Amino acid sequence: MAQPYIKLTNICKKFGTVQANKNVCLEVDKGEILALLGENGSGKSTLVNMLSGIYTPDSGRIEIAGKGVVFHSPKDAIKAGIGMIHQHFKLVDVLTAAENIVIGQEKSVFVNRKKTAERIKALSDKFGISIDPDKKIYNMSVSEKQTVEIMKILYRGADVLILDEPTAVLTPQEIKGLFAILREMKAQGCCIIIITHKLAEVMEISDRVTVLRKGESITTAVTKDSTPQQLTEMMVGSAVSLDIECPKEKLSEKPVLSVDGLIKRSPDGVPVLNGMTFDVYGGEILGVAGIAGSGQKELCEIVAGLMKADGGSVKFEGKEILGLSPREILRHGVSMSFIPEDRLGMGLVAGMSVMNNVILKSYNRNPGPFLDRKFAKTLAEQIVRDFDISTPSVYHEVKKLSGGNIQKVLLGREIWLSPRVLITAYPVRGLDIGASYNIYHVLNEQKKKGVAVLFIGEDLDVLKSISDRLMVIHDGAVVDIADPGSVTKEDIGMMMLGHKPGEEADRAV
């Protein structure tokens, strides 16, 4: 039997009292795509961070092409031909694609632009990658930036590629493009390790799957011989239903939230929201699909009172709230909760405790000038119980929690305020299946209580399953509001790129 190109044997890593990895074993062959599956906190990221030189194992052995290696830094891993693309890209926005690809790699301070361009073209032709070397990063879509990251790794001569949640914010068409590149790299003999929570993608792209649970490698299975249900059960350790509930509730007679002709321009005058109009009714989940940067962030922040609009109207139960501050919105009796896209940048204060984060939005209800810490502790403990938040205590810093638990703290705080409108942006981004389904259940419970839920998501399968209506946006405008049960993912993908329903058929005629 041929020797695996990458072999990890009994890898262990501990952070304080937390055992992140325990005797993990993993093998990857040349010309293979291996998916790494596991719940949040199962040790996936720690494992690949050791393979990419960010961490050093406490014990165990890493072999590349049959030889034992020890990485003290990412530079050592890069020299061994290993490259990793993180969820948050490491690119310089004001530089071109070519400048980002060669930055830090050329020995001379002077870059031979002609030679660089020739080498980039040769790599593009070899792996079927479409890239404009002169395009600035700030003008690129998410998928274009990802392509630049892949090219950076290939330019260094790497033959091992590790991708962490690579399809998180891509359209179906962009995912197909990425998978085409990965398949070509596989055909050229590269090793590819992909971390993802999307089981449909695991089934489509991977040859084998290694499942981690609580820091240990449970099994490695051949993908074509497995089912999503089997893989989920191996991840969680028990039977799990993959059906997302979508109860049909009686809608409010009038919309709870009405957005009409909403306009927002960037500082240089470019429309970010371009006349956006829609209604959300009590007792429904209105899903929102759109490629990154289509105006989702601005829409949320304007409705929540965090950003000023340049025109249009936002009404809550018939009352105009556009232009009011978040505090004024509260004073007007508007019960509206906002779960932002960046949970630690905008939603929570990383260095504060769970208790202090929970009380952040309700301290002004406190009688007198001093905070009632007993009430704050009781409330925090109730939210920890109700949402099954895994934390040593309510005094534990939020930044030290896993992504799933951070999200539950934020969601619990907002729901405790008994909202009439719940705006949630990417509430399950980066979360494992168990944590994600817990949040879907919470959103459905709010819907049953008559809450109007605006759900901005990125997984089209989830959006189709959980939404009562699905609004697709492009360049700050509504392309269509569709019935999730009668529209395909491909149709949604075309609308996300700005094509209205029926346009393709019209062109064919």
Side-chain angles (χ1 to χ4, degrees), residues 41 54 75 105 197 207 435 472:
I54 295 171
K75 194 173 180 181
Q105 297 187 46
H197 289 115
D207 299 299
V472 186

Side-chain angles (χ1 to χ4, degrees), residues 85-106:
I85 298 176
H86 298 268
Q87 279 178 281
H88 303 290
F89 304 141
K90 315 292 183 186
L91 300 171
V92 182
D93 276 0
V94 295
L95 299 182
T96 64
E99 288 166 341
N100 269 279
I101 289 164
V102 302
I103 195 167
Q105 297 187 46
E106 301 291 345

Side-chain angles (χ1 to χ4, degrees), residues 402-420:
S402 71
N405 287 304
I406 289 171
Q407 190 66 16
K408 287 185 207 174
V409 170
L410 184 53
L411 196 63
R413 183 187 72 188
E414 300 301 310
I415 285 171
W416 177 80
L417 294 167
S418 301
R420 289 284 293 119

